[in-house]
Amino acid sequence: MNRKQALKTIAATTLSSVALPQFAKSMNALPADLKGNISHSVCQWCYNDIPLEKLCEAAKGMGIKSIDLLNPSQWATAAKYGLTCAMAYASDLGLSRGFNDLVYMKN
């Protein structure tokens, strides 16, 4: 590692050791009526290397409420863990085909 990269690493480590605990502390300072009222979600395709079962289990453990952009065949897996799929694919074509590809829009 060169000197410039070492300095960047030290700076990032220092910043995270100061900023993250402060952020966590500020989250605890939220008024009681706001706690638990924010619904977080993740998109499954961002974690393609993680099997959907494991992603659902981890998401549920973190308090995430939804795994988005699932195919219809995957909805039952999310539901098994009490998760929703707030924004889903209508078919198994995915994002790069279907509405984004005129070949599939001709009929």
Side-chain angles (χ1 to χ4, degrees):
M1 178 183 306
N2 63 33
R3 183 175 187 273
K4 188 174 184 178
Q5 185 60 41
L7 289 173
K8 284 182 182 179
T9 302
I10 291 168
T13 303
T14 302
L15 179 63
S16 67
S17 67
V18 172
L20 290 178
Q22 187 61 33
F23 177 72
K25 183 178 175 184
S26 69
M27 291 302 291
N28 288 330
L30 288 173
D33 61 335
L34 291 181
K35 288 186 180 183
N37 289 331
I38 299 174
S39 298
H40 294 281
S41 68
V42 295
C43 292
Q44 189 269 335
W45 65 266
C46 297
Y47 303 99
N48 277 335
D49 294 340
I50 301 173
L52 183 58
E53 287 276 344
K54 288 192 179 278
L55 181 62
C56 289
E57 185 178 354
K60 183 68 175 177
M62 288 184 258
I64 291 172
K65 309 262 174 136
S66 180
I67 298 187
D68 296 333
L69 300 178
L70 295 177
N71 295 317
S73 61
Q74 298 171 308
W75 297 346
T77 304
K80 179 174 129 181
Y81 290 90
L83 302 169
T84 62
C85 183
M87 182 174 38
Y89 293 123
S91 73
D92 288 332
L93 292 175
L95 187 61
S96 61
R97 298 181 297 171
F99 292 127
N100 289 338
D101 189 337
L102 293 177
V103 170
Y104 297 97
M105 294 296 294
K106 289 186 179 181
N107 291 332

